[in-house]
Amino acid sequence: PVLFVCENNGFAIHTAQSKRQGLPDICARARAYGMPAERLDGNDVLTVRDHAADAVARLRNGEGPQFIEATTYRWREHVGPGQDFHLGYRDEAECARWQERDAVRAMAEGLALDVRARIEAAVEREVAEAFAFAESSPFPHPSELLTDIFTEDSHELAASGR
């Protein structure tokens, strides 16, 4: 039993999905394996939550794997925090339309002001604590470089009990 969730931002690195795949219907691919599949607006957090809960209930009922495609948009470059509009594969107006539908902002606007303020303060504290912990932590010893890395050798060793 597994719930597959594809967060589809419409791009494969620097190419629109529609230009890269002749048949971009991801749900159809999942259905080809006999899985129920549905495409949802990934920016509608509550709908995604409700459909995911329904899918999990079907999983627990023995109905087999389930698939959800959540459509959304990538606001920044493929890797990193910068803008990439200068590369020409997308433009600022396209991005702005998605930013107007920001799921985080929409959820925040639905909260009472005092609740929102408490959540934001807690998040700010958690981020500050994480930065402080990271900045005060020593660098790992070089001997840890390959810790928790899977290789065929490590898999065979684990299987043999050594």
Side-chain angles (χ1 to χ4, degrees):
V2 61
L3 171 58
F4 295 98
V5 178
C6 172
E7 178 186 337
N8 184 356
N9 67 26
F11 292 98
I13 305 176
H14 298 119
T15 306
Q17 178 188 4
S18 60
K19 292 180 179 179
R20 192 172 175 113
Q21 296 174 334
L23 299 172
D25 186 348
I26 293 173
C27 286
R29 293 175 188 203
R31 289 185 197 110
Y33 289 96
M35 278 185 276
E38 59 184 334
R39 178 178 294 121
L40 303 172
D41 176 356
N43 284 21
D44 185 343
V45 176
L46 298 178
T47 296
V48 172
R49 179 203 59 192
D50 293 344
H51 284 252
D54 292 343
V56 168
R58 290 191 299 275
L59 286 169
R60 291 179 175 155
N61 195 36
E63 296 179 36
Q66 308 287 310
F67 185 93
I68 293 174
E69 176 186 5
T71 59
T72 190
Y73 193 81
R74 187 178 80 216
W75 292 13
R76 299 290 178 160
E77 62 191 330
H78 174 65
V79 177
Q83 299 290 348
D84 59 1
F85 302 119
H86 67 283
L87 297 175
Y89 69 96
R90 64 192 192 129
D91 61 48
E92 291 183 54
E94 176 184 50
C95 186
R97 286 191 298 276
W98 283 90
Q99 289 175 329
E100 289 169 8
R101 299 180 47 239
D102 178 7
V104 174
R105 184 175 52 239
M107 290 295 295
E109 289 171 353
L111 296 173
L113 292 178
D114 62 321
V115 172
R116 180 177 174 174
R118 282 197 312 271
I119 291 170
E120 289 174 348
V123 169
E124 290 294 331
R125 272 192 311 278
E126 185 175 345
V127 169
E129 289 169 4
F131 267 89
F133 175 79
E135 290 172 346
S136 68
S137 295
F139 278 92
H141 189 273
S143 65
E144 294 184 54
L145 182 63
L146 299 178
T147 301
D148 299 320
I149 302 295
F150 176 83
T151 65
E152 288 299 324
D153 291 340
S154 66
H155 178 68
E156 291 170 10
L157 286 173
S160 69
R162 293 186 275 157

PDB file of all heavy atoms in Angstrom, residues 113-145:
ATOM      1  N   LEU A 113      -6.168  36.688  13.283  1.00  0.00           N
ATOM      2  CA  LEU A 113      -4.899  37.405  13.367  1.00  0.00           C
ATOM      3  C   LEU A 113      -4.029  36.940  14.521  1.00  0.00           C
ATOM      4  O   LEU A 113      -2.812  36.813  14.373  1.00  0.00           O
ATOM      5  CB  LEU A 113      -5.143  38.911  13.449  1.00  0.00           C
ATOM      6  CG  LEU A 113      -5.711  39.550  12.176  1.00  0.00           C
ATOM      7  CD1 LEU A 113      -5.955  41.036  12.394  1.00  0.00           C
ATOM      8  CD2 LEU A 113      -4.779  39.319  11.002  1.00  0.00           C
ATOM      9  N   ASP A 114      -4.629  36.680  15.689  1.00  0.00           N
ATOM     10  CA  ASP A 114      -3.828  36.252  16.835  1.00  0.00           C
ATOM     11  C   ASP A 114      -3.248  34.857  16.611  1.00  0.00           C
ATOM     12  O   ASP A 114      -2.110  34.583  16.986  1.00  0.00           O
ATOM     13  CB  ASP A 114      -4.638  36.318  18.129  1.00  0.00           C
ATOM     14  CG  ASP A 114      -5.842  35.396  18.130  1.00  0.00           C
ATOM     15  OD1 ASP A 114      -6.517  35.268  17.082  1.00  0.00           O
ATOM     16  OD2 ASP A 114      -6.130  34.781  19.189  1.00  0.00           O
ATOM     17  N   VAL A 115      -4.013  33.977  15.983  1.00  0.00           N
ATOM     18  CA  VAL A 115      -3.516  32.621  15.685  1.00  0.00           C
ATOM     19  C   VAL A 115      -2.369  32.708  14.685  1.00  0.00           C
ATOM     20  O   VAL A 115      -1.324  32.081  14.853  1.00  0.00           O
ATOM     21  CB  VAL A 115      -4.658  31.732  15.144  1.00  0.00           C
ATOM     22  CG1 VAL A 115      -4.127  30.398  14.652  1.00  0.00           C
ATOM     23  CG2 VAL A 115      -5.729  31.546  16.200  1.00  0.00           C
ATOM     24  N   ARG A 116      -2.562  33.502  13.642  1.00  0.00           N
ATOM     25  CA  ARG A 116      -1.520  33.674  12.632  1.00  0.00           C
ATOM     26  C   ARG A 116      -0.249  34.232  13.257  1.00  0.00           C
ATOM     27  O   ARG A 116       0.868  33.760  12.965  1.00  0.00           O
ATOM     28  CB  ARG A 116      -2.031  34.593  11.526  1.00  0.00           C
ATOM     29  CG  ARG A 116      -1.021  34.832  10.434  1.00  0.00           C
ATOM     30  CD  ARG A 116      -1.610  35.683   9.334  1.00  0.00           C
ATOM     31  NE  ARG A 116      -0.593  36.028   8.354  1.00  0.00           N
ATOM     32  CZ  ARG A 116      -0.841  36.660   7.246  1.00  0.00           C
ATOM     33  NH1 ARG A 116      -2.073  37.030   6.943  1.00  0.00           N
ATOM     34  NH2 ARG A 116       0.131  36.947   6.406  1.00  0.00           N
ATOM     35  N   ALA A 117      -0.378  35.228  14.127  1.00  0.00           N
ATOM     36  CA  ALA A 117       0.789  35.830  14.774  1.00  0.00           C
ATOM     37  C   ALA A 117       1.542  34.807  15.616  1.00  0.00           C
ATOM     38  O   ALA A 117       2.777  34.775  15.607  1.00  0.00           O
ATOM     39  CB  ALA A 117       0.367  37.023  15.632  1.00  0.00           C
ATOM     40  N   ARG A 118       0.812  33.954  16.347  1.00  0.00           N
ATOM     41  CA  ARG A 118       1.464  32.915  17.154  1.00  0.00           C
ATOM     42  C   ARG A 118       2.212  31.912  16.267  1.00  0.00           C
ATOM     43  O   ARG A 118       3.335  31.517  16.584  1.00  0.00           O
ATOM     44  CB  ARG A 118       0.437  32.185  18.023  1.00  0.00           C
ATOM     45  CG  ARG A 118       0.015  32.954  19.252  1.00  0.00           C
ATOM     46  CD  ARG A 118      -0.674  32.089  20.304  1.00  0.00           C
ATOM     47  NE  ARG A 118      -1.721  31.236  19.784  1.00  0.00           N
ATOM     48  CZ  ARG A 118      -3.010  31.574  19.664  1.00  0.00           C
ATOM     49  NH1 ARG A 118      -3.404  32.781  20.031  1.00  0.00           N
ATOM     50  NH2 ARG A 118      -3.901  30.726  19.198  1.00  0.00           N
ATOM     51  N   ILE A 119       1.590  31.498  15.177  1.00  0.00           N
ATOM     52  CA  ILE A 119       2.235  30.543  14.269  1.00  0.00           C
ATOM     53  C   ILE A 119       3.484  31.159  13.656  1.00  0.00           C
ATOM     54  O   ILE A 119       4.555  30.535  13.619  1.00  0.00           O
ATOM     55  CB  ILE A 119       1.249  30.081  13.167  1.00  0.00           C
ATOM     56  CG1 ILE A 119       0.146  29.220  13.791  1.00  0.00           C
ATOM     57  CG2 ILE A 119       1.978  29.319  12.068  1.00  0.00           C
ATOM     58  CD1 ILE A 119      -1.006  28.916  12.843  1.00  0.00           C
ATOM     59  N   GLU A 120       3.374  32.392  13.170  1.00  0.00           N
ATOM     60  CA  GLU A 120       4.522  33.049  12.550  1.00  0.00           C
ATOM     61  C   GLU A 120       5.661  33.228  13.544  1.00  0.00           C
ATOM     62  O   GLU A 120       6.831  33.031  13.205  1.00  0.00           O
ATOM     63  CB  GLU A 120       4.101  34.377  11.928  1.00  0.00           C
ATOM     64  CG  GLU A 120       3.246  34.189  10.687  1.00  0.00           C
ATOM     65  CD  GLU A 120       2.691  35.485  10.116  1.00  0.00           C
ATOM     66  OE1 GLU A 120       2.776  36.542  10.791  1.00  0.00           O
ATOM     67  OE2 GLU A 120       2.166  35.430   8.985  1.00  0.00           O
ATOM     68  N   ALA A 121       5.339  33.593  14.780  1.00  0.00           N
ATOM     69  CA  ALA A 121       6.380  33.753  15.799  1.00  0.00           C
ATOM     70  C   ALA A 121       7.051  32.414  16.095  1.00  0.00           C
ATOM     71  O   ALA A 121       8.280  32.348  16.237  1.00  0.00           O
ATOM     72  CB  ALA A 121       5.787  34.354  17.072  1.00  0.00           C
ATOM     73  N   ALA A 122       6.260  31.347  16.168  1.00  0.00           N
ATOM     74  CA  ALA A 122       6.819  30.017  16.434  1.00  0.00           C
ATOM     75  C   ALA A 122       7.726  29.574  15.287  1.00  0.00           C
ATOM     76  O   ALA A 122       8.805  29.010  15.515  1.00  0.00           O
ATOM     77  CB  ALA A 122       5.690  29.005  16.643  1.00  0.00           C
ATOM     78  N   VAL A 123       7.330  29.845  14.066  1.00  0.00           N
ATOM     79  CA  VAL A 123       8.147  29.482  12.907  1.00  0.00           C
ATOM     80  C   VAL A 123       9.443  30.280  12.911  1.00  0.00           C
ATOM     81  O   VAL A 123      10.528  29.727  12.688  1.00  0.00           O
ATOM     82  CB  VAL A 123       7.356  29.689  11.590  1.00  0.00           C
ATOM     83  CG1 VAL A 123       8.277  29.582  10.378  1.00  0.00           C
ATOM     84  CG2 VAL A 123       6.221  28.677  11.490  1.00  0.00           C
ATOM     85  N   GLU A 124       9.364  31.578  13.173  1.00  0.00           N
ATOM     86  CA  GLU A 124      10.563  32.413  13.230  1.00  0.00           C
ATOM     87  C   GLU A 124      11.533  31.904  14.304  1.00  0.00           C
ATOM     88  O   GLU A 124      12.745  31.845  14.071  1.00  0.00           O
ATOM     89  CB  GLU A 124      10.205  33.876  13.487  1.00  0.00           C
ATOM     90  CG  GLU A 124       9.519  34.556  12.319  1.00  0.00           C
ATOM     91  CD  GLU A 124      10.409  34.700  11.099  1.00  0.00           C
ATOM     92  OE1 GLU A 124      11.641  34.798  11.232  1.00  0.00           O
ATOM     93  OE2 GLU A 124       9.850  34.709   9.984  1.00  0.00           O
ATOM     94  N   ARG A 125      10.990  31.523  15.470  1.00  0.00           N
ATOM     95  CA  ARG A 125      11.838  30.977  16.536  1.00  0.00           C
ATOM     96  C   ARG A 125      12.497  29.677  16.085  1.00  0.00           C
ATOM     97  O   ARG A 125      13.695  29.476  16.303  1.00  0.00           O
ATOM     98  CB  ARG A 125      11.020  30.711  17.804  1.00  0.00           C
ATOM     99  CG  ARG A 125      10.901  31.873  18.748  1.00  0.00           C
ATOM    100  CD  ARG A 125      10.339  31.464  20.114  1.00  0.00           C
ATOM    101  NE  ARG A 125       9.128  30.660  20.046  1.00  0.00           N
ATOM    102  CZ  ARG A 125       7.893  31.141  19.878  1.00  0.00           C
ATOM    103  NH1 ARG A 125       7.701  32.437  19.775  1.00  0.00           N
ATOM    104  NH2 ARG A 125       6.847  30.340  19.834  1.00  0.00           N
ATOM    105  N   GLU A 126      11.716  28.799  15.470  1.00  0.00           N
ATOM    106  CA  GLU A 126      12.251  27.504  15.035  1.00  0.00           C
ATOM    107  C   GLU A 126      13.361  27.696  14.000  1.00  0.00           C
ATOM    108  O   GLU A 126      14.400  27.035  14.073  1.00  0.00           O
ATOM    109  CB  GLU A 126      11.129  26.648  14.452  1.00  0.00           C
ATOM    110  CG  GLU A 126      11.575  25.252  14.094  1.00  0.00           C
ATOM    111  CD  GLU A 126      10.434  24.364  13.622  1.00  0.00           C
ATOM    112  OE1 GLU A 126       9.253  24.713  13.827  1.00  0.00           O
ATOM    113  OE2 GLU A 126      10.739  23.316  13.035  1.00  0.00           O
ATOM    114  N   VAL A 127      13.158  28.592  13.057  1.00  0.00           N
ATOM    115  CA  VAL A 127      14.183  28.858  12.038  1.00  0.00           C
ATOM    116  C   VAL A 127      15.432  29.444  12.690  1.00  0.00           C
ATOM    117  O   VAL A 127      16.559  29.024  12.400  1.00  0.00           O
ATOM    118  CB  VAL A 127      13.628  29.778  10.930  1.00  0.00           C
ATOM    119  CG1 VAL A 127      14.749  30.270  10.014  1.00  0.00           C
ATOM    120  CG2 VAL A 127      12.551  29.050  10.129  1.00  0.00           C
ATOM    121  N   ALA A 128      15.262  30.403  13.586  1.00  0.00           N
ATOM    122  CA  ALA A 128      16.406  31.019  14.271  1.00  0.00           C
ATOM    123  C   ALA A 128      17.173  29.974  15.079  1.00  0.00           C
ATOM    124  O   ALA A 128      18.414  29.958  15.067  1.00  0.00           O
ATOM    125  CB  ALA A 128      15.940  32.158  15.165  1.00  0.00           C
ATOM    126  N   GLU A 129      16.446  29.089  15.766  1.00  0.00           N
ATOM    127  CA  GLU A 129      17.101  28.034  16.539  1.00  0.00           C
ATOM    128  C   GLU A 129      17.854  27.072  15.631  1.00  0.00           C
ATOM    129  O   GLU A 129      18.953  26.622  15.967  1.00  0.00           O
ATOM    130  CB  GLU A 129      16.065  27.282  17.380  1.00  0.00           C
ATOM    131  CG  GLU A 129      15.521  28.094  18.533  1.00  0.00           C
ATOM    132  CD  GLU A 129      14.307  27.447  19.197  1.00  0.00           C
ATOM    133  OE1 GLU A 129      13.924  26.319  18.826  1.00  0.00           O
ATOM    134  OE2 GLU A 129      13.727  28.096  20.098  1.00  0.00           O
ATOM    135  N   ALA A 130      17.281  26.735  14.477  1.00  0.00           N
ATOM    136  CA  ALA A 130      17.945  25.829  13.536  1.00  0.00           C
ATOM    137  C   ALA A 130      19.235  26.455  13.007  1.00  0.00           C
ATOM    138  O   ALA A 130      20.273  25.786  12.922  1.00  0.00           O
ATOM    139  CB  ALA A 130      17.005  25.464  12.388  1.00  0.00           C
ATOM    140  N   PHE A 131      19.183  27.759  12.667  1.00  0.00           N
ATOM    141  CA  PHE A 131      20.385  28.441  12.204  1.00  0.00           C
ATOM    142  C   PHE A 131      21.436  28.474  13.304  1.00  0.00           C
ATOM    143  O   PHE A 131      22.613  28.212  13.054  1.00  0.00           O
ATOM    144  CB  PHE A 131      20.056  29.858  11.740  1.00  0.00           C
ATOM    145  CG  PHE A 131      19.769  29.950  10.268  1.00  0.00           C
ATOM    146  CD1 PHE A 131      18.480  29.780   9.800  1.00  0.00           C
ATOM    147  CD2 PHE A 131      20.782  30.211   9.361  1.00  0.00           C
ATOM    148  CE1 PHE A 131      18.206  29.866   8.450  1.00  0.00           C
ATOM    149  CE2 PHE A 131      20.528  30.304   8.001  1.00  0.00           C
ATOM    150  CZ  PHE A 131      19.222  30.123   7.543  1.00  0.00           C
ATOM    151  N   ALA A 132      21.019  28.816  14.518  1.00  0.00           N
ATOM    152  CA  ALA A 132      21.966  28.889  15.632  1.00  0.00           C
ATOM    153  C   ALA A 132      22.615  27.525  15.872  1.00  0.00           C
ATOM    154  O   ALA A 132      23.833  27.437  16.082  1.00  0.00           O
ATOM    155  CB  ALA A 132      21.264  29.386  16.891  1.00  0.00           C
ATOM    156  N   PHE A 133      21.818  26.465  15.836  1.00  0.00           N
ATOM    157  CA  PHE A 133      22.357  25.113  16.021  1.00  0.00           C
ATOM    158  C   PHE A 133      23.360  24.781  14.922  1.00  0.00           C
ATOM    159  O   PHE A 133      24.463  24.298  15.199  1.00  0.00           O
ATOM    160  CB  PHE A 133      21.223  24.081  16.031  1.00  0.00           C
ATOM    161  CG  PHE A 133      21.702  22.667  16.086  1.00  0.00           C
ATOM    162  CD1 PHE A 133      22.123  22.113  17.283  1.00  0.00           C
ATOM    163  CD2 PHE A 133      21.753  21.894  14.939  1.00  0.00           C
ATOM    164  CE1 PHE A 133      22.586  20.803  17.347  1.00  0.00           C
ATOM    165  CE2 PHE A 133      22.211  20.589  14.981  1.00  0.00           C
ATOM    166  CZ  PHE A 133      22.630  20.040  16.187  1.00  0.00           C
ATOM    167  N   ALA A 134      22.991  25.044  13.676  1.00  0.00           N
ATOM    168  CA  ALA A 134      23.875  24.729  12.556  1.00  0.00           C
ATOM    169  C   ALA A 134      25.178  25.524  12.636  1.00  0.00           C
ATOM    170  O   ALA A 134      26.266  24.972  12.440  1.00  0.00           O
ATOM    171  CB  ALA A 134      23.165  25.007  11.231  1.00  0.00           C
ATOM    172  N   GLU A 135      25.069  26.800  12.929  1.00  0.00           N
ATOM    173  CA  GLU A 135      26.255  27.643  12.969  1.00  0.00           C
ATOM    174  C   GLU A 135      27.163  27.326  14.148  1.00  0.00           C
ATOM    175  O   GLU A 135      28.371  27.547  14.086  1.00  0.00           O
ATOM    176  CB  GLU A 135      25.848  29.116  12.972  1.00  0.00           C
ATOM    177  CG  GLU A 135      25.270  29.537  11.620  1.00  0.00           C
ATOM    178  CD  GLU A 135      24.664  30.925  11.614  1.00  0.00           C
ATOM    179  OE1 GLU A 135      24.429  31.497  12.707  1.00  0.00           O
ATOM    180  OE2 GLU A 135      24.405  31.435  10.510  1.00  0.00           O
ATOM    181  N   SER A 136      26.613  26.782  15.232  1.00  0.00           N
ATOM    182  CA  SER A 136      27.437  26.456  16.398  1.00  0.00           C
ATOM    183  C   SER A 136      27.930  25.012  16.377  1.00  0.00           C
ATOM    184  O   SER A 136      28.746  24.631  17.208  1.00  0.00           O
ATOM    185  CB  SER A 136      26.648  26.708  17.685  1.00  0.00           C
ATOM    186  OG  SER A 136      25.576  25.780  17.797  1.00  0.00           O
ATOM    187  N   SER A 137      27.456  24.220  15.445  1.00  0.00           N
ATOM    188  CA  SER A 137      27.855  22.806  15.372  1.00  0.00           C
ATOM    189  C   SER A 137      29.207  22.675  14.679  1.00  0.00           C
ATOM    190  O   SER A 137      29.504  23.404  13.732  1.00  0.00           O
ATOM    191  CB  SER A 137      26.818  22.007  14.581  1.00  0.00           C
ATOM    192  OG  SER A 137      25.595  21.995  15.268  1.00  0.00           O
ATOM    193  N   PRO A 138      30.000  21.718  15.137  1.00  0.00           N
ATOM    194  CA  PRO A 138      31.291  21.493  14.474  1.00  0.00           C
ATOM    195  C   PRO A 138      31.066  20.820  13.118  1.00  0.00           C
ATOM    196  O   PRO A 138      30.065  20.148  12.901  1.00  0.00           O
ATOM    197  CB  PRO A 138      32.020  20.549  15.436  1.00  0.00           C
ATOM    198  CG  PRO A 138      30.922  19.827  16.143  1.00  0.00           C
ATOM    199  CD  PRO A 138      29.782  20.812  16.254  1.00  0.00           C
ATOM    200  N   PHE A 139      32.023  21.031  12.226  1.00  0.00           N
ATOM    201  CA  PHE A 139      31.973  20.311  10.970  1.00  0.00           C
ATOM    202  C   PHE A 139      32.177  18.834  11.259  1.00  0.00           C
ATOM    203  O   PHE A 139      32.918  18.470  12.182  1.00  0.00           O
ATOM    204  CB  PHE A 139      33.065  20.804  10.022  1.00  0.00           C
ATOM    205  CG  PHE A 139      32.688  22.057   9.299  1.00  0.00           C
ATOM    206  CD1 PHE A 139      33.021  23.300   9.813  1.00  0.00           C
ATOM    207  CD2 PHE A 139      31.990  21.996   8.101  1.00  0.00           C
ATOM    208  CE1 PHE A 139      32.671  24.461   9.158  1.00  0.00           C
ATOM    209  CE2 PHE A 139      31.626  23.146   7.432  1.00  0.00           C
ATOM    210  CZ  PHE A 139      31.977  24.390   7.958  1.00  0.00           C
ATOM    211  N   PRO A 140      31.530  17.950  10.501  1.00  0.00           N
ATOM    212  CA  PRO A 140      31.737  16.522  10.729  1.00  0.00           C
ATOM    213  C   PRO A 140      33.169  16.118  10.391  1.00  0.00           C
ATOM    214  O   PRO A 140      33.821  16.753   9.560  1.00  0.00           O
ATOM    215  CB  PRO A 140      30.733  15.852   9.783  1.00  0.00           C
ATOM    216  CG  PRO A 140      30.198  16.909   8.908  1.00  0.00           C
ATOM    217  CD  PRO A 140      30.584  18.228   9.452  1.00  0.00           C
ATOM    218  N   HIS A 141      33.620  15.071  11.021  1.00  0.00           N
ATOM    219  CA  HIS A 141      34.941  14.527  10.755  1.00  0.00           C
ATOM    220  C   HIS A 141      34.924  13.892   9.368  1.00  0.00           C
ATOM    221  O   HIS A 141      33.909  13.306   8.964  1.00  0.00           O
ATOM    222  CB  HIS A 141      35.301  13.473  11.819  1.00  0.00           C
ATOM    223  CG  HIS A 141      36.722  13.025  11.733  1.00  0.00           C
ATOM    224  ND1 HIS A 141      37.105  11.994  10.919  1.00  0.00           N
ATOM    225  CD2 HIS A 141      37.843  13.489  12.329  1.00  0.00           C
ATOM    226  CE1 HIS A 141      38.417  11.824  11.016  1.00  0.00           C
ATOM    227  NE2 HIS A 141      38.883  12.724  11.875  1.00  0.00           N
ATOM    228  N   PRO A 142      36.019  13.986   8.628  1.00  0.00           N
ATOM    229  CA  PRO A 142      36.048  13.403   7.280  1.00  0.00           C
ATOM    230  C   PRO A 142      35.686  11.912   7.246  1.00  0.00           C
ATOM    231  O   PRO A 142      35.171  11.423   6.245  1.00  0.00           O
ATOM    232  CB  PRO A 142      37.494  13.619   6.827  1.00  0.00           C
ATOM    233  CG  PRO A 142      37.934  14.834   7.575  1.00  0.00           C
ATOM    234  CD  PRO A 142      37.237  14.742   8.926  1.00  0.00           C
ATOM    235  N   SER A 143      35.888  11.213   8.352  1.00  0.00           N
ATOM    236  CA  SER A 143      35.552   9.785   8.380  1.00  0.00           C
ATOM    237  C   SER A 143      34.045   9.552   8.249  1.00  0.00           C
ATOM    238  O   SER A 143      33.610   8.448   7.941  1.00  0.00           O
ATOM    239  CB  SER A 143      36.069   9.135   9.666  1.00  0.00           C
ATOM    240  OG  SER A 143      35.384   9.682  10.791  1.00  0.00           O
ATOM    241  N   GLU A 144      33.232  10.588   8.469  1.00  0.00           N
ATOM    242  CA  GLU A 144      31.776  10.454   8.364  1.00  0.00           C
ATOM    243  C   GLU A 144      31.255  10.685   6.953  1.00  0.00           C
ATOM    244  O   GLU A 144      30.050  10.562   6.704  1.00  0.00           O
ATOM    245  CB  GLU A 144      31.094  11.445   9.313  1.00  0.00           C
ATOM    246  CG  GLU A 144      31.349  11.154  10.786  1.00  0.00           C
ATOM    247  CD  GLU A 144      30.585  12.106  11.669  1.00  0.00           C
ATOM    248  OE1 GLU A 144      29.349  12.204  11.499  1.00  0.00           O
ATOM    249  OE2 GLU A 144      31.226  12.761  12.507  1.00  0.00           O
ATOM    250  N   LEU A 145      32.147  11.004   6.036  1.00  0.00           N
ATOM    251  CA  LEU A 145      31.739  11.373   4.686  1.00  0.00           C
ATOM    252  C   LEU A 145      30.841  10.316   4.033  1.00  0.00           C
ATOM    253  O   LEU A 145      29.876  10.657   3.358  1.00  0.00           O
ATOM    254  CB  LEU A 145      32.976  11.628   3.817  1.00  0.00           C
ATOM    255  CG  LEU A 145      32.701  12.063   2.384  1.00  0.00           C
ATOM    256  CD1 LEU A 145      31.963  13.399   2.365  1.00  0.00           C
ATOM    257  CD2 LEU A 145      34.002  12.176   1.612  1.00  0.00           C
TER     258      LEU A 145
END
